[in-house]
Amino acid sequence: MTNNSWPHKVLLLYEGTNFGGDFDTSILYGLEAHGCEVTCLSRGKAWSPDYDLVLGYGPFTLQEGNILPVAKQLMAIPEEKRPLFAWWLTEGIPNPNHPHWFVNIASKLRLKADQWLLTEQSARSRWRDLALKGHRLRILGQLNHVRERQLLDVLAVTSASRANYLRQWGFDPIVVPLGNYAVYGGDMGLNRDIEVGFLGNTAAPRRQQLLPGLFKQLEERGFQVVVENNLYGEDRNKFLNRCRILLNVLRAPQDFVGQRFLLAAANKTLVISEPVNDSLPFVPGEHMIVTAFDDLAEKVHYYLTHEDERQALADRAHQFVSEELTAVNMVGRILEQVRQTQATKEKAKIGV
């Protein structure tokens, strides 16, 4: 029977690039803190079935992010010897406004393209760009693939809105936000000489439409926005430690940006955001500020001229991610669900 010391041996599948490095480091720490013996391996590599749990996570970027090789290896293991398979989805979902029939067809076509690219070795370089198209449809198509083959035992997602969407497609996910760990930064005591920062892809169509006007409004109030498109690790943490305020303007209206909130809180930077569908576990007015897009510039002006209030919000968010929203606690939620799933399987075997 399972107990609180199970699973013992865990295989943590990482993407194979530095893009997912923070995820891998924080999840590894969380697993080891719960007493797990962890092996880390790239998703595309072969592995033995001698594990209690195989755990993967998003992002699904590029060919290394493909979940299909993992599914193939799981299918090759006899069911009675197959380890539990859990996935922590940290990426976005297809646009909820798209018709169900369209998403159904498009995600299946995207899955077929991935399957073809895996079998046609010579086509990978010539059709590499195909692996980058329809990214969120790809996620849904591949998750459906593993679920339909009864390979997916536990699916964790980082927000309630993503969970609600996936339930419409027959999944039963649990909500587990990303947890804080030292890799996401901390208070370095640096001079916060950047009044307003923006961290993210400014080439996204929605941001191209909205950001120039917002930046102009802030410039008219005497505030220049410092933009960083491609910062990771220590460089990103130093940038956030220099920012007093981090702007959040969504790439797509349905996006959940919990990682951005987590990063800002870890580095004691106040987030001022346009409305989001789902900010939990971060609470507007307690850990961050959410306001109508047209009021963003005015809110930035207010908190830059009321430093005590800005600092109090940033301190509260930092305390929250340091004491409650930790990698150890969030990984613990997944492990608890894994134990419950294993216990259910064991009862089914003996006919209870």
Side-chain angles (χ1 to χ4, degrees):
M1 295 295 290
T2 57
N3 53 56
N4 287 337
S5 66
W6 191 93
H8 306 291
K9 297 183 66 176
V10 178
L11 176 62
L12 177 59
L13 298 173
Y14 62 85
E15 184 186 8
T17 73
N18 290 331
F19 192 69
D22 289 350
F23 294 104
D24 188 65
T25 304
S26 61
I27 297 170
L28 171 62
Y29 174 78
L31 288 168
E32 290 182 336
H34 284 277
C36 299
E37 178 186 327
V38 186
T39 300
C40 297
L41 196 65
S42 173
R43 295 175 200 162
K45 301 293 185 181
W47 41 270
S48 71
D50 301 326
Y51 296 95
D52 301 316
L53 171 68
V54 176
L55 174 62
Y57 60 90
F60 283 77
T61 55
L62 304 178
Q63 292 185 18
E64 292 87 352
N66 202 327
I67 197 174
L68 296 182
V70 184
K72 183 177 180 180
Q73 292 197 65
L74 287 168
M75 286 290 291
I77 303 170
E79 186 175 356
E80 64 274 12
K81 296 182 179 180
R82 191 180 297 159
L84 258 70
F85 179 48
W87 197 268
W88 196 354
L89 178 61
T90 60
E91 286 255 345
I93 56 174
N95 189 334
N97 294 322
H98 288 332
H100 191 282
W101 66 264
F102 169 78
V103 176
N104 185 41
I105 294 173
S107 62
K108 288 179 178 178
L109 289 174
R110 188 61 185 80
L111 173 64
K112 291 293 185 184
D114 278 330
Q115 292 171 326
W116 177 71
L117 286 171
L118 279 177
T119 56
E120 296 294 331
Q121 298 287 335
S122 61
R124 290 187 184 183
S125 59
R126 287 184 289 123
W127 293 93
R128 182 178 177 276
D129 288 346
L130 181 60
L132 306 179
K133 303 295 184 182
H135 180 55
R136 299 183 182 197
L137 293 167
R138 176 194 203 192
I139 291 171
L140 181 60
Q142 293 197 5
L143 286 177
N144 270 322
H145 178 80
V146 294
R147 179 180 60 85
E148 290 167 357
R149 284 153 183 78
Q150 299 183 335
L151 301 174
L152 185 62
D153 296 295
V154 174
L155 175 62
V157 297
T158 52
S159 76
S161 58
R162 288 178 181 172
N164 291 336
Y165 179 84
L166 290 170
R167 288 187 186 106
Q168 299 174 27
W169 292 90
F171 294 93
D172 186 22
I174 60 171
V175 178
V176 183
L178 292 174
N180 188 34
Y181 178 54
V183 71
Y184 292 116
D187 185 7
M188 300 177 181
L190 301 180
N191 177 31
R192 294 192 179 268
D193 57 338
I194 298 174
E195 292 175 316
V196 188
F198 182 86
L199 183 63
N201 178 12
T202 55
R206 185 175 185 272
R207 288 176 175 164
Q208 282 187 324
Q209 179 183 2
L210 295 175
L211 289 179
L214 175 58
F215 291 173
K216 183 178 179 181
Q217 290 179 42
L218 288 167
E219 288 173 5
E220 290 171 350
R221 289 168 168 81
F223 308 123
Q224 182 179 1
V225 181
V226 178
V227 176
E228 290 290 352
N229 293 305
N230 193 32
L231 276 186
Y232 301 99
E234 190 72 7
D235 290 338
R236 174 203 60 212
N237 298 341
K238 287 181 179 178
F239 170 73
L240 290 172
N241 262 264
R242 293 176 58 200
C243 293
R244 295 171 67 191
I245 286 174
L246 184 70
L247 279 174
N248 181 51
V249 175
L250 298 172
R251 181 172 183 163
Q254 75 271 15
D255 278 358
F256 173 76
V257 287
Q259 188 186 19
R260 182 171 290 114
F261 299 156
L262 171 61
L263 287 168
N267 293 283
K268 283 195 175 182
T269 307
L270 174 62
V271 170
I272 296 185
S273 174
E274 67 172 323
V276 293
N277 291 333
D278 185 5
S279 68
L280 294 177
F282 295 93
V283 179
E286 184 175 346
H287 305 124
M288 56 190 289
I289 295 299
V290 175
T291 190
F293 181 86
D294 291 343
D295 296 332
L296 282 174
E298 190 58 40
K299 284 293 184 183
V300 169
H301 181 270
Y302 178 87
Y303 282 98
L304 286 177
T305 54
H306 293 76
E307 175 61 17
D308 289 347
E309 293 183 46
R310 187 204 69 81
Q311 187 67 58
L313 284 162
D315 287 346
R316 196 176 299 125
H318 181 76
Q319 182 178 10
F320 172 60
V321 301
S322 300
E323 298 177 1
E324 299 180 45
L325 192 71
T326 65
V328 173
N329 289 345
M330 297 306 103
V331 169
R333 289 189 193 180
I334 293 177
L335 292 178
E336 180 57 32
Q337 184 63 42
V338 165
R339 293 185 192 107
Q340 290 180 19
T341 301
Q342 179 65 9
T344 300
K345 284 191 169 188
E346 290 175 351
K347 288 180 180 179
K349 286 180 182 178
I350 60 177
V352 175

